[in-house]
Amino acid sequence: MQSSAKVKLMCTKSISNLDDRVNPMIAKEKVVEALRKVYDPEIPVNVYDLGLIYDVSVEGRKVRIKMTLTAPGCPLGLYLPAMVEDAVRSGVPGVEDVEVEVVWDPPWTPLRITEEGRRQLKQIYGVDIVEEWLKRSEAQQPPG
């Protein structure tokens, strides 16, 4: 009786895997997982936790991503979006098309960094980068 249960389980898994190949449901979480493997070469945090990804939408087998860069003059302006596209194409099964749009509004600030990104930066630099940025921003504000 145990052997027939194993056979049934194996058949169910095979059919389930076939269904995924024939009609995949692309989960936004899988796209985010792929994005977390792309690192900004200048800052040792992935693009998602750095807050460079503004929006991820999935329509059928098409993924649309709106992202920004830390600064308009970023020397990696063409390179980083291509890395994002490649990561999604190669890391998310079933994706047929990936559209990456670089946007500048709203401008990126350290406030967009996720809690995980803040933790990573604090571990590397020994300070909470976002907290320090906020202090310096407040100090530069004219009294009013």
Side-chain angles (χ1 to χ4, degrees), residues 35-65:
L35 293 172
R36 281 193 157 126
K37 294 178 182 174
V38 179
Y39 282 78
D40 183 316
E42 296 176 323
I43 304 170
V45 175
N46 68 70
V47 295
Y48 186 83
D49 289 317
L50 193 54
L52 298 181
I53 305 300
Y54 284 6
D55 185 57
V56 174
S57 63
V58 178
E59 297 171 14
R61 295 179 186 222
K62 183 174 185 166
V63 176
R64 287 191 173 108
I65 299 168

Side-chain angles (χ1 to χ4, degrees), residues 98-110:
V98 180
E99 180 183 301
V100 179
E101 180 185 359
V102 175
V103 297
W104 300 108
D105 189 31
W108 181 86
T109 72

Side-chain angles (χ1 to χ4, degrees), residues 55-132:
D55 185 57
V56 174
S57 63
V58 178
E59 297 171 14
R61 295 179 186 222
K62 183 174 185 166
V63 176
R64 287 191 173 108
I65 299 168
K66 286 187 180 182
M67 69 173 292
T68 195
L69 304 170
T70 55
C74 177
L76 300 169
L78 298 175
Y79 181 66
L80 209 51
M83 289 172 57
V84 165
E85 181 180 341
D86 290 345
V88 173
R89 283 187 189 280
S90 64
V92 182
V95 169
E96 289 182 356
D97 191 25
V98 180
E99 180 183 301
V100 179
E101 180 185 359
V102 175
V103 297
W104 300 108
D105 189 31
W108 181 86
T109 72
L111 294 174
R112 299 194 67 85
I113 299 172
T114 66
E115 287 299 318
E116 175 59 21
R118 287 176 76 164
R119 187 193 64 72
Q120 291 174 18
L121 288 168
K122 188 173 184 177
Q123 187 176 21
I124 294 165
Y125 299 113
V127 296
D128 184 332
I129 300 295
V130 176
E131 193 175 297
E132 291 299 313

